[in-house]
């Protein structure tokens, strides 16, 4: 009561009793949870609701499909599939999940891939229940390599080898051709992470990038971007236009190397002779691939945060993003679903090579 509110007589005030009642209701009363999900995910989440209901009959989950391009009605939802921004955390819109995770005996903290687990934390607090992770890869056009007289890179190629490929291919490119295209920022993160690995003390590298690594990456990019035909100029395009530009250029084989997700492997294969590689490294270190952790949050205004946590905890043990080839957050889930074993061999070789050295973008 002293932490919340006392009345003029020093007794617990109304705010205390309202808060206590809310906690009791959250523990003991049946709950209706509204959970926001991007529309293309909705079916996968609907499939596991009956299993959850059998384990938690007092909790009813309603999946609310939401479009990607619209603002989410956070005040109408208890939680959702969302990677929170710093602005959301600063505004107090997201519930701190640290105490839930460490007090729930059914939430196995040890059964997470370390790099995916780290992606859920900021300033030593857990804001995201990790569900899966997207690991971008490099795709290459084999005929372009052959025309340029370049040997296709190995699984453990270096930044200097990639730069030599870009300069050689770029020098031979026509007006519409470029050597490299990245509609994301993965190449920047990968280069900066690799720079830090080479310059920080062993075991001292942090997930948050240092100013030195960021500056070194901008200098590297600016130097290569001055060379004709190296990087496709898409910096000023919005996300939708970037994606459309990427599809057009790849379809016409105007790009030698590009960044994309593992789920696009087959679609690139059918367009021509396509190879896949991890991000480059150095003679001393394997390449560091940026890892984009996906997960679930509880919104601050939810009247049933503990019931919502039960749903989040349950979801962490299911591979709901299997059709998107996102890596499950838990090794046990990956093994049970056969995630690594069912990947096409060339793709699986690259992902198994790169994944141990991934680093989350926090």
């Amino acid at each position: 009561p002293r932490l919340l509110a006392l009345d003029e007589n020093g007794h617990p005030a109304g705010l205390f009793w309202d808060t206590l009642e809310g906690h009791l209701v959250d523990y003991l009363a049946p709950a209706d949870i509204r959970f926001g999900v991007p529309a293309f995910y909705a079916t996968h989440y609907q499939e596991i609701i009956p299993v959850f209901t059998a384990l938690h009959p007092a909790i009813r989950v309603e999946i609310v499909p939401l479009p990607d391009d619209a603002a989410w009605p956070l005040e109408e939802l208890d939680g959702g599939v969302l990677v929170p921004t710093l602005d959301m955390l600063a505004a107090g819109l997201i519930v701190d999940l640290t105490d839930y995770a460490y007090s729930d005996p059914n939430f196995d903290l040890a059964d997470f891939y370390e790099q995916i687990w780290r992606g859920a934390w900021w300033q030593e607090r857990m804001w995201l229940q990790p569900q899966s992770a997207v690991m971008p890869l490099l795709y290459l056009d084999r005929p372009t390599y052959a025309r340029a007289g370049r040997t296709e890179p190995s699984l453990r190629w270096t930044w200097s080898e990639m730069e030599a490929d870009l300069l050689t291919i770029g020098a031979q490119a026509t007006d519409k051709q470029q050597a490299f295209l990245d509609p994301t920022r993965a190449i920047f993160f990968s280069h900066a992470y690799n720079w830090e690995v080479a310059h920080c003390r062993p075991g001292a590298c942090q997930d948050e990038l240092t100013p030195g690594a960021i500056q070194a990456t901008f200098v590297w990019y600016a130097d290569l971007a001055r060379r004709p035909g190296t990087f496709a100029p898409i910096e000023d395009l919005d996300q939708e236009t970037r994606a459309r530009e990427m599809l057009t250029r790849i379809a016409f084989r105007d790009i030698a190397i590009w960044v994309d997700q593992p789920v696009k492997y087959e679609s690139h294969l059918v367009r021509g002779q396509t190879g896949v590689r991890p991000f480059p490294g150095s003679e001393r270190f394997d390449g560091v691939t940026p890892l984009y952790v996906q997960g679930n949050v509880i919104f601050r205004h939810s009247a049933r945060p503990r019931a919502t946590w039960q749903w989040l905890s349950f979801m962490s043990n299911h591979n709901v993003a299997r059709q998107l080839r996102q890596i499950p957050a838990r090794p046990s889930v990956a093994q049970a679903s056969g995630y690594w074993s069912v990947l096409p061999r060339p793709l699986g070789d690259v992902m198994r090579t790169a994944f141990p050295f991934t680093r989350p973008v926090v």
Side-chain angles (χ1 to χ4, degrees):
R2 293 181 182 277
L3 293 176
L4 291 174
L6 298 176
D7 61 19
E8 62 276 8
N9 298 317
H11 299 148
L15 176 61
F16 167 76
W17 296 115
D18 292 343
T19 303
L20 177 60
E21 181 180 2
H23 281 288
L24 290 174
V25 167
D26 197 20
Y27 269 99
L28 303 175
D32 288 333
I33 296 171
R34 303 187 81 239
F35 192 76
V37 173
F40 61 89
Y41 273 125
T43 301
H44 307 313
Y45 281 82
Q46 291 281 9
E47 290 174 350
I48 64 173
I49 287 180
V51 183
F52 176 78
T53 302
L55 296 172
H56 303 276
I59 303 176
R60 189 180 75 88
V61 178
E62 177 189 355
I63 299 298
V64 182
L66 296 168
D68 289 336
D69 56 353
W72 281 27
L74 303 188
E75 68 281 356
E76 301 175 9
L77 302 170
D78 293 281
V81 181
L82 181 75
V83 178
T85 64
L86 290 180
D87 288 342
M88 289 180 175
L89 301 184
L93 299 178
I94 307 298
V95 171
D96 181 348
L97 302 178
T98 313
D99 292 340
Y100 287 106
Y102 280 91
S103 63
D104 184 351
N106 298 316
F107 188 74
D108 188 353
L109 298 168
D111 182 31
F112 281 93
Y113 288 114
E114 179 186 357
Q115 56 271 58
I116 296 181
W117 178 252
R118 295 202 316 266
W121 291 72
W122 181 70
Q123 291 194 348
E124 301 182 355
R125 307 300 293 179
M126 178 181 169
W127 302 97
L128 180 74
Q129 176 269 307
Q131 185 70 49
S132 59
V134 177
M135 183 174 71
L137 302 170
L138 296 180
Y139 291 87
L140 56 93
D141 183 55
R142 287 174 167 165
T144 301
Y145 260 80
R147 288 194 301 270
R150 300 297 296 178
T151 302
E152 292 181 17
S154 68
L155 284 178
R156 286 186 164 87
W157 61 329
T158 65
W159 284 95
S160 59
E161 290 172 336
M162 188 181 80
E163 291 168 16
D165 290 349
L166 295 180
L167 292 174
T168 301
I169 294 170
Q172 301 177 14
T174 64
D175 291 341
K176 293 183 178 181
Q177 295 175 329
Q178 278 85 27
F180 191 91
L181 174 62
D182 181 6
T184 70
R185 294 181 294 171
I187 192 67
F188 293 99
F189 281 110
S190 180
H191 185 277
Y193 287 152
N194 276 274
W195 187 92
E196 283 202 332
V197 167
H199 292 82
C200 68
R201 300 188 311 277
C205 293
Q206 303 297 317
D207 289 330
E208 294 188 34
L209 289 169
T210 63
I214 296 172
Q215 178 64 19
T217 294
F218 284 149
V219 170
W220 168 81
Y221 176 78
D223 180 61
L224 278 179
R226 295 189 192 99
R227 318 292 180 92
T230 52
F231 292 112
I234 60 172
E235 294 86 349
D236 297 330
L237 304 180
D238 58 53
Q239 185 173 357
E240 181 179 350
T241 308
R242 285 187 183 195
R244 186 168 58 249
E245 182 81 0
M246 180 175 181
L247 290 175
T248 301
R249 290 176 179 269
I250 292 172
F252 286 96
R253 319 307 292 176
D254 288 337
I255 298 295
I257 307 171
W258 64 94
V259 177
D260 211 343
Q261 300 180 20
V263 71
K264 299 294 185 63
Y265 176 72
E266 285 83 359
S267 66
H268 291 317
L269 281 185
V270 300
R271 291 189 175 97
Q273 301 178 51
T274 303
V276 59
R277 295 294 185 274
F279 283 83
S282 68
E283 300 292 346
R284 297 174 54 205
F285 306 104
D286 280 340
V288 182
T289 301
L291 195 67
Y292 298 92
V293 177
Q294 312 295 307
N296 312 295
V297 300
I298 301 175
F299 298 125
R300 174 61 64 184
H301 54 263
S302 171
R304 307 307 303 272
R306 184 164 294 277
T308 307
W309 167 258
Q310 295 299 316
W311 168 241
L312 266 59
S313 176
F314 171 81
M315 283 191 295
S316 73
N317 291 289
H318 291 78
N319 187 11
V320 293
R322 60 188 180 278
Q323 294 184 359
L324 299 177
R325 278 204 180 122
Q326 295 182 8
I327 302 170
R330 293 183 181 274
S332 63
V333 175
Q335 182 177 3
S337 62
Y339 177 83
W340 297 103
S341 62
V342 300
L343 294 171
R345 177 170 292 179
L347 178 66
D349 289 345
V350 169
M351 293 184 67
R352 283 186 288 269
T353 298
F355 183 62
F357 308 100
T358 55
R359 188 164 159 184
V361 177
V362 296

